[in-house]
Amino acid sequence: MFYRENGQFKTSYKADQQAFAIPQDRWAIVAIVVFAFIGVPLLVDEYMFRAILVPFLILTLAALGVNILVGYCGQITLGAGASMAVGAYAAYNFMVRIDGMPALAAILLGGLMAAAAGIVFGIPSLRVRGLYLAVATLASQFFWDWAFLRIKWFTNNSSSGSVSVADINLFGWTINSPTDKYLFCLGVLVVFSVMAKNLLRGNMGRQWMAIRDMDVAATVIGIRPMYAKLTAFAVSSFYLGVAGALWGFVNLGSWEPAAFSIDRSLQLLFMVIIGGLGAISGSFFGAAFIVILPIFLNQTLPLVGSLLGLDVSIALVSHVEFIIFGSLIVFFLIVEPHGIARLWATGREKLRLWPFPH
Amino acid sequence: MKLRKLAVTASLAAIGLSAALTAPATYAAEEQFFPVLAYRTGAYAPNGAPWANGYVDYLKLTNARGGVNGVKIIFEECETGYATDRGVECYERLKGKHGGATVVQPLSTGITFALTEKAPVDKIPLVTAGYGRSESQDGSVFGWNFPLIGTYWMGADVLIQHIAKKEGGFDKLKGKKIALVYHDSPYGKEPIALLQERAKMHGYELSLLPVAHPGVEQKATWLQIRQNKPDYVFLWGWGVMNSTSLKEAQATGYPREKMYGIWWAGAEPDVKDVGDGAKGYNALAMQHGAEQGSKVVKEVLEKVHAKGQGTGPKEEVGQVLYMRGLISAMLSVEGVRAAQARFGKGKRITGEQMRWGLENINLDQKTLDAMGFGGVMRPVQTSCLDHMGSAWARLHTWDGKKWNFSSDWYQGDEKVLRPLVISTAGKYADEKKIVRRTADDCKK
């Protein structure tokens, strides 16, 4: 009713195979992107940029990487943080060791290094599945944690194991103001999202989904499991590596291995599970839920307290924040096990076929 | 016509009203805003809370004393949970409030590393009294970091001096085995550079034993200590890691008398649960120890706690970490005072002026005595190039019930510290492409 497709006829294969076949969707996406590029910088303040939007964009990119592997190829990973760490430290080393290295090239090379590492640690996926694979990918998390803490070469012999980088310079554009950082991350995220969207509906994405749905059947119809699984690991790690490099270069400026600890891996996994496995929009929803909600709760709880006439201590706020956040996770998993993206999809169906979708 | 008139009057009235509303805001400029990044929850809360209590209590005391030349201090707490990303979020949230933050003290080396990148951009000084990056003592590179009255290199240096004195000279250190049990984070790794430097000079053998966050699993570490039998164990822990180490030492039978902690491993929460098991354990005192008897503590009890405005339990006032928080706040307040002396007494000062103030702190013994810090700490004098201001420390020992001082004052050895600070800061400057500050820049 609100979202009518009547009268939209597709007359060519090209029209039928577009990324967003429905014009309403297409225009909505374009409007959102334009608003993100032009509207948001005019509206929000520095705090929003630095504390919320930049972390949100970078973690969305990382969640996209995890979603490719877990949601589309069905290979559970607990080593996402490690891939981010490889990307960040590799990019750092390219910057420090090669004179005049452009930052963007270093970030992409960091992603490639992470992809290579991802392939190596993806090899067990050829033999083990499910929870056993999750445990196997833990090895990558612990190995890289250990490597960046102990092998001095990676950190350029820094005394405390933490490294720092200068501001990024992109073709004469020095990225140091919060708006610059936001626009840069947004640009990267848009490019990578478009890439993911196209990859996933192409040959490779279909192979991954076939493997995810039933790998024996996929083998029977001629899909090589080794190729499909390892490419999924590579692409996913590439995304994570680029996200890790951005996290270090743009968001933190100086970092230590703890920034990419096992907590980060779990956080990313929760993002895609809550956001929605096997949906690109799920990565966005999941990142928003995990990044923004705790901060939102932390800021509104004292206000709610003062409305009720209570003096809320910061310790109480952070306890209540954990309670509410935890219950919301449980709530969403019960109400919609397929994630927030599924809720969104149902809502969209309702708009198309009001009020009873089928 | 009438409508237009009405509209004009209404808008004029609105302008007048908004002017009237904004007027108090300019009037309220004679307030100095101190953001408080604290952690009262999480694994490190037992140590973070007393520090925050002391910090906030001193700010309240300053107001009870009439502010800094009449300028009242306002503050707001934000919970970081010792997590770097939350700490950064807190910083971003608070830095612009009430006309801008005066100074930030995150009480976490991880958050310090992250904020070191942001402080120069926002022009807010970052005070890290007794923690943070040791090389940030070099104010010409780290223009906005102030590791006031203590860095980890200085602490490690004093520990080595103390051991050398016990053994009867630095030459006696040759062949001795020292084990460093450290929190596996930038915090715990800080002293390694200096201990290695000293090892080269004196020929002792240094073994490094990392303990993963949060430090409750140390069986393997202490097994190694049992096998190696080091002559001394240095403990660079925080929170629950310290008491766990002491319990493990007790279980392994390693003598507590040969264990030396950094000043973050030498407070009541670290030893309280171990009680007699920690008897004989030594730790550095960052100048002060537990100071229940000092004049300033009595003043806090009288002017803040007696009026029901105290932060935290009354019994903890004057304990080691409480005092650390109190002194950290005091140094910042004195920075404000120094800045006011130059930029106008009774005026609100900006972050840049605050930096000048912190670089020109000069607290002699008489001033300290007058403020109630007699016997608690020694004089502090900072400069543009030296952001530490004082390199004195002593040791205290736990007797099963309380901390007692057990050594003379030591001073960190400039001949060892300075070259290390300069070279490490230089490396940082190269990486970040920072130009060292000149003498002219220091006057600003």
Side-chain angles (χ1 to χ4, degrees):
Chain A
M1 183 176 142
F2 297 99
Y3 203 131
R4 218 177 262 279
E5 290 162 54
N6 293 7
Q8 296 175 11
F9 300 110
K10 292 174 189 118
T11 49
S12 63
Y13 282 116
K14 208 180 154 206
D16 196 37
Q17 288 176 346
Q18 289 187 72
F20 299 100
I22 305 168
Q24 282 99 323
D25 278 350
R26 204 154 55 232
W27 289 115
I29 295 284
V30 168
I32 289 172
V33 170
V34 168
F35 175 73
F37 270 107
I38 298 167
V40 171
L42 295 175
L43 287 176
V44 306
D45 60 353
E46 191 186 339
Y47 166 73
M48 275 295 278
F49 277 133
R50 292 195 11 176
I52 293 178
L53 288 174
V54 168
F56 163 69
L57 291 175
I58 299 173
L59 287 180
T60 304
L61 182 62
L64 208 55
V66 176
N67 217 339
I68 287 173
L69 189 60
V70 182
Y72 285 94
C73 196
Q75 313 294 312
I76 299 181
T77 175
L78 284 173
S83 296
M84 285 180 79
V86 174
Y89 279 97
Y92 164 78
N93 276 299
F94 280 116
M95 279 297 272
V96 173
R97 289 172 201 284
I98 301 171
D99 240 9
M101 185 82 183
L104 188 63
I107 289 174
L108 293 176
L109 283 170
L112 285 178
M113 286 290 147
I119 292 175
V120 172
F121 282 94
I123 290 175
S125 71
L126 307 176
R127 285 298 172 90
V128 290
R129 269 181 238 163
L131 284 176
Y132 300 97
L133 177 64
V135 176
T137 54
L138 262 184
S140 121
Q141 180 68 44
F142 288 127
F143 172 76
W144 289 111
D145 257 4
W146 172 85
F148 295 127
L149 277 170
R150 297 280 168 270
I151 302 176
K152 290 245 164 190
W153 188 84
F154 284 127
T155 51
N156 201 12
N157 300 317
S158 127
S159 61
S160 61
S162 95
V163 298
S164 42
V165 287
D167 286 331
I168 297 178
N169 196 321
L170 193 69
F171 310 116
W173 175 37
T174 309
I175 297 167
N176 54 9
S177 84
T179 322
D180 291 344
K181 288 182 172 178
Y182 166 77
L183 290 175
F184 178 65
C185 290
L186 184 65
V188 173
L189 179 61
V190 167
V191 170
F192 275 73
S193 305
V194 172
M195 264 166 51
K197 178 84 188 164
N198 283 311
L199 208 57
L200 289 171
R201 58 201 193 98
N203 176 16
M204 203 175 263
R206 281 156 205 257
Q207 290 191 22
W208 296 340
M209 284 183 263
I211 290 284
R212 171 192 68 189
D213 293 342
M214 193 175 184
D215 54 356
V216 177
T219 321
V220 168
I221 58 169
I223 290 168
R224 288 170 293 161
M226 185 173 106
Y227 175 78
K229 285 180 180 174
L230 290 187
T231 47
F233 268 98
V235 173
S236 152
S237 302
F238 177 70
Y239 273 62
L240 284 162
V242 171
L246 286 179
W247 189 256
F249 279 56
V250 180
N251 189 36
L252 298 176
S254 96
W255 69 93
E256 40 169 316
F260 306 106
S261 65
I262 178 82
D263 294 347
R264 182 73 63 210
S265 301
L266 293 172
Q267 191 192 30
L268 288 170
L269 195 62
F270 295 157
M271 272 182 201
V272 294
I273 291 174
I274 292 168
L277 287 167
I280 288 184
S281 61
S283 312
F284 286 79
F285 292 128
F289 187 87
I290 300 262
V291 175
I292 300 174
L293 189 70
I295 297 174
F296 173 76
L297 286 175
N298 194 283
Q299 299 211 21
T300 44
L301 285 174
L303 293 178
V304 174
S306 65
L307 281 181
L308 296 175
L310 299 170
D311 186 28
V312 197
S313 78
I314 57 161
L316 182 66
V317 167
S318 92
H319 290 141
V320 175
E321 176 200 318
F322 276 120
I323 294 171
I324 298 182
F325 187 61
S327 357
L328 276 176
I329 291 180
V330 175
F331 171 79
F332 272 112
L333 290 183
I334 291 173
V335 172
E336 190 48 89
H338 297 290
I340 306 174
R342 187 55 186 263
L343 278 180
W344 164 244
T346 318
R348 200 168 136 255
E349 285 298 306
K350 282 196 176 172
L351 290 177
R352 288 174 72 187
L353 302 161
W354 184 264
F356 301 115
H358 56 75
Chain B
M1 189 65 194
K2 209 172 185 184
L3 191 68
R4 187 190 284 173
K5 211 173 177 182
L6 199 67
V8 170
T9 351
S11 49
L12 277 179
I15 291 168
L17 194 67
S18 61
L21 283 177
T22 46
T26 46
Y27 192 67
E30 306 312 321
E31 280 179 339
Q32 200 70 45
F33 176 54
F34 277 63
V36 182
L37 270 59
Y39 36 102
R40 297 176 183 277
T41 62
Y44 301 94
N47 297 48
W51 185 90
N53 292 342
Y55 192 82
V56 171
D57 269 354
Y58 191 80
L59 298 180
K60 286 179 179 164
L61 177 67
T62 308
N63 281 341
R65 282 170 173 174
V68 190
N69 297 320
V71 178
K72 290 272 172 192
I73 289 172
I74 42 176
F75 56 88
E76 187 173 331
E77 279 194 34
C78 184
E79 170 74 28
T80 69
Y82 201 66
T84 302
D85 42 359
R86 281 313 277 273
V88 171
E89 193 269 327
C90 278
Y91 165 80
E92 296 288 349
R93 192 194 303 178
L94 295 180
K95 74 176 183 196
K97 282 199 179 172
H98 308 288
T102 315
V103 66
V104 197
Q105 307 209 23
L107 192 63
S108 144
T109 303
I111 302 176
T112 304
F113 272 88
L115 294 189
T116 299
E117 311 303 313
K118 298 180 186 277
V121 183
D122 299 323
K123 308 220 179 301
I124 298 171
L126 182 63
V127 171
T128 57
Y131 57 98
R133 319 173 73 115
S134 301
E135 67 268 31
S136 65
Q137 186 191 353
D138 184 348
S140 66
V141 173
F142 292 89
W144 296 88
N145 292 46
F146 290 87
L148 295 170
I149 70 169
T151 66
Y152 292 130
W153 290 350
M154 182 213 120
D157 194 70
V158 167
L159 282 181
I160 295 288
Q161 287 184 36
H162 179 71
I163 285 173
K165 196 174 164 192
K166 260 185 88 168
E167 294 284 338
F170 280 110
D171 49 322
K172 300 277 182 356
L173 286 179
K174 199 165 179 64
K176 292 270 183 247
K177 284 192 276 188
I178 297 178
L180 174 69
V181 176
Y182 65 97
H183 192 261
D184 202 356
S185 65
Y187 153 58
K189 286 188 197 171
E190 271 293 318
I192 295 175
L194 184 116
L195 290 173
Q196 281 171 342
E197 192 73 21
R198 279 273 191 188
K200 267 185 246 156
M201 291 165 64
H202 311 305
Y204 60 80
E205 194 186 309
L206 179 70
S207 53
L208 303 173
L209 304 170
V211 173
H213 154 92
V216 283
E217 183 48 62
Q218 298 183 22
K219 286 266 184 285
T221 312
W222 286 88
L223 192 65
Q224 271 174 290
I225 288 179
R226 189 151 73 179
Q227 284 163 352
N228 289 346
K229 297 194 183 62
D231 296 292
Y232 295 99
V233 168
F234 287 178
L235 181 60
W236 232 265
W238 184 224
V240 69
M241 174 182 162
N242 294 330
S243 47
T244 311
S245 280
L246 286 165
K247 281 177 198 155
E248 290 290 343
Q250 198 181 3
T252 356
Y254 188 84
R256 262 71 74 204
E257 289 78 14
K258 290 181 167 187
M259 287 176 69
Y260 289 87
I262 180 64
W263 42 64
W264 299 110
E268 287 81 0
D270 306 320
V271 286
K272 213 169 41 190
D273 296 343
V274 198
D276 276 343
K279 208 165 155 181
Y281 165 66
N282 312 286
L284 268 175
M286 202 178 91
Q287 305 210 355
H288 67 89
E291 307 282 359
Q292 269 97 351
S294 63
K295 261 167 71 187
V296 64
V297 165
K298 285 178 186 144
E299 203 182 339
V300 167
L301 285 173
E302 178 193 324
K303 290 189 179 163
V304 182
H305 276 263
K307 296 200 174 132
Q309 291 170 339
T311 323
K314 209 170 175 175
E315 310 78 63
E316 284 181 12
V317 175
Q319 288 192 350
V320 176
L321 286 166
Y322 181 94
M323 286 308 288
R324 187 93 22 93
L326 189 111
I327 288 175
S328 304
M330 184 275 281
L331 290 167
S332 298
V333 169
E334 290 315 305
V336 173
R337 204 185 300 282
Q340 278 194 8
R342 179 179 169 191
F343 297 101
K345 280 196 179 167
K347 287 224 179 77
R348 186 187 170 278
I349 56 160
T350 65
E352 267 177 301
Q353 292 167 341
M354 180 64 181
R355 168 165 86 157
W356 189 89
L358 286 170
E359 281 176 350
N360 292 280
I361 293 180
N362 188 0
L363 298 172
D364 52 16
Q365 200 60 53
K366 232 171 74 192
T367 325
L368 285 173
D369 289 350
M371 288 194 302
F373 286 89
V376 176
M377 56 187 292
R378 291 205 153 183
V380 183
Q381 185 173 15
T382 53
S383 72
C384 180
L385 295 182
D386 175 18
H387 278 192
M388 182 158 77
S390 169
W392 294 98
R394 48 184 162 167
L395 279 92
H396 56 187
T397 305
W398 179 252
D399 70 358
K401 286 186 183 60
K402 61 181 196 314
W403 289 99
N404 300 312
F405 287 111
S406 52
S407 82
D408 282 341
W409 288 91
Y410 291 96
Q411 193 170 21
D413 189 351
E414 277 295 289
K415 284 200 287 295
V416 184
L417 291 171
R418 201 69 202 166
L420 200 58
V421 167
I422 297 286
S423 68
T424 318
K427 202 178 133 212
Y428 178 83
D430 288 346
E431 261 178 33
K432 299 284 291 182
K433 304 185 176 69
I434 295 172
V435 185
R436 278 180 185 274
R437 290 164 70 199
T438 56
D440 281 343
D441 192 47
C442 284
K443 286 183 195 131
K444 269 189 234 163

